[in-house]
Amino acid sequence: LNTWSGAWWRSLGHFNQPFERDWIWGSVYAGLGHYPVSWLGFFNTEANITVNDSYDFSTFDVTKTAAFIVSSYLTITEMRNGTVVKILSLKSMRWDYSKQESNELTNKQLGIYAFVFEGKTILPSSLTVQIQYIVTESGGVLNLAEDVLIVPKALESIIIIDGWNYEQPENYLRLEMAVGCSYASWNLDGEIVSTNSTTNQTSFFRLAKQAVISGKILPIKFVDISKGDVSLVFSSNPNVKMQLTSRYETAAEAWLLRVDFPQGATNIVYDPTMGVGPSPFESPMPTPDPSRDSQLGLIIGLTIGFLVLSTIISSILIWFFKFRGKPAYD
């Protein structure tokens, strides 16, 4: 019951000065008793990167990042006319990494890599929750409810909710998410932007305005954004709290975001975007800038516990790791 699974990757950016490159490091993980988590860290110099010997990326040292942001899916709530009917906490689900689904969504020729996690309730039910985390080596378009420009400095976290058993057909689902960053601003479109005052590097989290509901593109309702306490919001993921406070100290912030889906919606596909650097444009789609987004390679790891096994897969430095054991943050 204490096992967890996750994935990590790093992508090498363009040279920002002779013999020096900038880097993006990221990690996604989920497990019983812990909310699904994803984070991105931007390093503008390799000298600031420290990797622990166990390659435990839930405790990765982000103190010297030029920008750092973390997000988590928290709850799915059935609502009726603004009143709570029942709540499902995603930390109460059993989360497993799906190698088959990940391989099916990964396209190495296009430089697209997917990490898929399946959530199941402890007691048997028809409900399944799947989260597809997608990263890319170069600019491209992800065709979902909206044409999303994906770039190497961004992470797509597609959540799929299927088989919800409604108490009444007129009820609807509310999804709650959390974002951790430094001092941030937000707008009524559901976008949070954080700028590091020391490095002048930005990070962002942006809600999608539409979702795919049973194969149809439908608008969703942005409910609100509210500020929360870092210790309380990330109480079930203490390593997230540790990373935020070690990086930003008193400037660390936690934000809660909520969206509502249409009444009786089933087979919901929803895709928020998180990234460091400028937020990708929405339609009309711009042409990706190769000079800004060029990548020298993408290194990826898969984790389940702690024992390290490594295999070099290709010449572009794609490495896979597996770990087994009890999570350090339990």
Side-chain angles (χ1 to χ4, degrees):
L1 295 179
N2 289 318
T3 59
W4 60 284
S5 57
W8 63 268
W9 69 95
R10 68 179 183 184
S11 59
L12 288 63
H14 61 275
F15 288 87
N16 53 35
Q17 55 182 307
F19 308 109
E20 186 59 82
R21 294 172 292 197
D22 55 27
W23 301 67
I24 298 290
W25 288 72
S27 181
V28 295
Y29 54 91
L32 182 63
H34 306 279
Y35 296 111
V37 169
S38 60
W39 62 258
L40 289 174
F42 173 63
F43 293 87
N44 51 15
T45 174
E46 186 176 4
N48 288 338
I49 300 171
T50 302
V51 181
N52 56 38
D53 293 336
S54 67
Y55 279 83
D56 179 4
F57 282 79
S58 66
T59 60
F60 189 75
D61 185 356
V62 300
T63 55
K64 295 182 180 179
T65 53
F68 175 73
I69 189 168
V70 61
S71 69
S72 183
Y73 289 108
L74 299 183
T75 61
I76 301 171
T77 303
E78 182 175 341
M79 306 287 296
R80 181 189 303 128
N81 297 325
T83 301
V84 173
V85 177
K86 58 184 176 182
I87 301 175
L88 172 66
S89 172
L90 296 188
K91 73 176 182 179
S92 70
M93 304 187 78
R94 185 187 75 248
W95 291 94
D96 297 305
Y97 170 74
S98 175
K99 181 178 180 180
Q100 179 179 346
E101 293 271 2
S102 300
N103 289 341
E104 289 176 357
L105 291 174
T106 294
N107 188 323
K108 295 180 182 178
Q109 290 183 331
L110 296 178
I112 296 174
Y113 298 86
F115 313 102
V116 179
F117 296 87
E118 299 274 2
K120 295 281 189 178
T121 54
I122 301 302
L123 297 177
S125 75
S126 59
L127 175 67
T128 60
V129 180
Q130 184 183 90
I131 302 178
Q132 301 174 356
Y133 294 104
I134 296 178
V135 293
T136 180
E137 289 183 293
S138 58
V141 176
L142 189 64
N143 295 313
L144 288 173
E146 300 172 353
D147 286 337
V148 179
L149 177 67
I150 54 175
V151 296
K153 292 184 179 181
L155 169 69
E156 302 299 320
S157 57
I158 304 165
I159 185 168
I160 301 174
I161 305 168
D162 195 22
W164 186 275
N165 185 20
Y166 286 94
E167 297 283 339
Q168 298 289 338
E170 66 269 19
N171 293 354
Y172 57 93
L173 295 184
R174 173 170 294 175
L175 176 65
E176 183 179 46
M177 297 151 278
V179 174
C181 55
S182 65
Y183 293 131
S185 60
W186 59 275
N187 57 45
L188 295 178
D189 287 330
E191 181 176 52
I192 293 174
V193 178
S194 170
T195 302
N196 187 309
S197 59
T198 303
T199 65
N200 204 34
Q201 296 291 334
T202 61
S203 55
F204 70 90
F205 182 91
R206 188 180 67 212
L207 297 173
K209 299 175 184 177
Q210 303 175 96
V212 178
I213 311 292
S214 299
K216 297 181 180 179
I217 299 174
L218 298 174
I220 59 97
K221 179 184 177 182
F222 166 56
V223 180
D224 61 15
I225 293 180
S226 61
K227 195 173 181 180
D229 181 270
V230 171
S231 297
L232 293 178
V233 171
F234 296 108
S235 61
S236 293
N237 295 99
N239 280 353
V240 171
K241 181 182 70 172
M242 177 193 68
Q243 288 174 316
L244 281 170
T245 54
S246 65
R247 176 61 189 90
Y248 294 123
E249 298 179 344
T250 57
E253 293 184 341
W255 295 87
L256 298 171
L257 303 91
R258 302 172 185 89
V259 297
D260 287 348
F261 300 111
Q263 290 180 329
T266 58
N267 193 245
I268 300 167
V269 182
Y270 187 63
D271 176 32
T273 301
M274 180 174 74
V276 292
S279 175
F281 296 100
E282 295 184 83
S283 297
M285 306 306 297
T287 301
D289 181 355
S291 65
R292 187 185 70 185
D293 296 329
S294 61
Q295 297 295 293
L296 301 180
L298 183 69
I299 299 176
I300 297 175
L302 302 178
T303 65
I304 308 177
F306 289 125
L307 176 64
V308 180
L309 303 170
S310 64
T311 305
I312 298 178
I313 303 298
S314 76
S315 60
I316 65 166
L317 302 178
I318 301 175
W319 296 350
F320 289 87
F321 293 84
K322 290 187 177 180
F323 300 75
R324 296 187 182 278
K326 184 176 178 181
Y329 54 87
D330 194 42

